[in-house]
């Protein structure tokens, strides 16, 4: 198997990845207008401010939509097919692209409640995945 790519940390997303490595799902929140944003960006989409804080989310959400990948773009994912790519809407509002684990692809349903789990993919990197909520 070819090594899969891992996220690259930069000043805009470091708080997100540091939180994931600690088992915390964090989202940027504008310090001026309180708008939440994901993917992390240097400026607020709502007011343009460069000031932000990291807010810990509950980790709960809803499966908004998904697709099943049968022909991956990168060869390093060939051994994982078929796998799902899911868009989860967090209870707090923002959307995250991730995967649903802990159930079969056939069991996935739009609107199903999910909760975050973290998968370590390197010594200091964990990816947020989601599983069906009890």
């Amino acid at each position: 198997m070819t090594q899969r790519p891992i996220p690259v940390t930069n000043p805009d997303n470091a708080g997100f990845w540091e939180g994931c490595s600690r088992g915390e799902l964090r989202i940027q929140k504008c310090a001026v207008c309180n708008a939440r944003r994901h993917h992390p960006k240097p400026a607020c989409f709502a007011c343009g401010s460069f000031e932000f804080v990291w807010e810990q989310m509950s980790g709960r959400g809803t499966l908004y939509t998904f697709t099943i990948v049968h022909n991956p773009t990168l060869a390093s994912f060939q051994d994982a097919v078929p796998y799902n790519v899911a868009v989860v809407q967090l209870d707090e509002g923002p959307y995250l692209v991730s995967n649903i684990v802990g159930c079969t692809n056939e069991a996935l349903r739009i609107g199903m409640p999910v909760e975050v789990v973290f998968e370590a993919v390197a010594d200091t990197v964990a990816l947020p995945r989601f599983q069906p909520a009890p």
Side-chain angles (χ1 to χ4, degrees):
M1 176 178 87
T2 307
Q3 176 68 32
R4 292 188 182 151
I6 61 171
V8 175
T9 303
N10 64 43
D12 296 327
N13 69 22
F16 177 79
W17 294 116
E18 288 167 6
C20 289
S21 70
R22 293 186 183 120
E24 301 172 356
L25 186 60
R26 299 179 188 167
I27 299 294
Q28 279 183 334
K29 182 172 89 170
C30 178
V32 174
C33 73
N34 293 322
R36 293 182 179 117
R37 62 183 185 258
H38 187 78
H39 296 295
K41 298 173 182 62
C44 178
F45 64 87
C47 73
S49 171
F50 288 94
E51 301 298 320
F52 66 88
V53 296
W54 289 101
E55 182 178 37
Q56 186 171 340
M57 302 287 102
S58 67
R60 293 184 302 273
T62 304
L63 180 56
Y64 182 77
T65 192
F66 67 95
T67 189
I68 307 300
V69 176
H70 295 276
N71 297 303
T73 335
L74 298 174
S76 58
F77 289 91
Q78 186 62 47
D79 66 326
V81 295
Y83 62 89
N84 65 72
V85 175
V87 177
V88 171
Q89 183 175 20
L90 299 177
D91 285 355
E92 296 85 359
Y95 294 85
L96 271 79
V97 176
S98 185
N99 308 102
I100 307 297
V101 298
C103 71
T104 64
N105 288 334
E106 294 75 24
L108 297 176
R109 298 290 178 261
I110 291 172
M112 71 187 290
V114 294
E115 61 188 9
V116 74
V117 293
F118 294 93
E119 177 187 348
V121 295
D123 289 341
T124 59
V125 179
L127 298 178
R129 308 281 196 211
F130 288 84
Q131 66 185 9

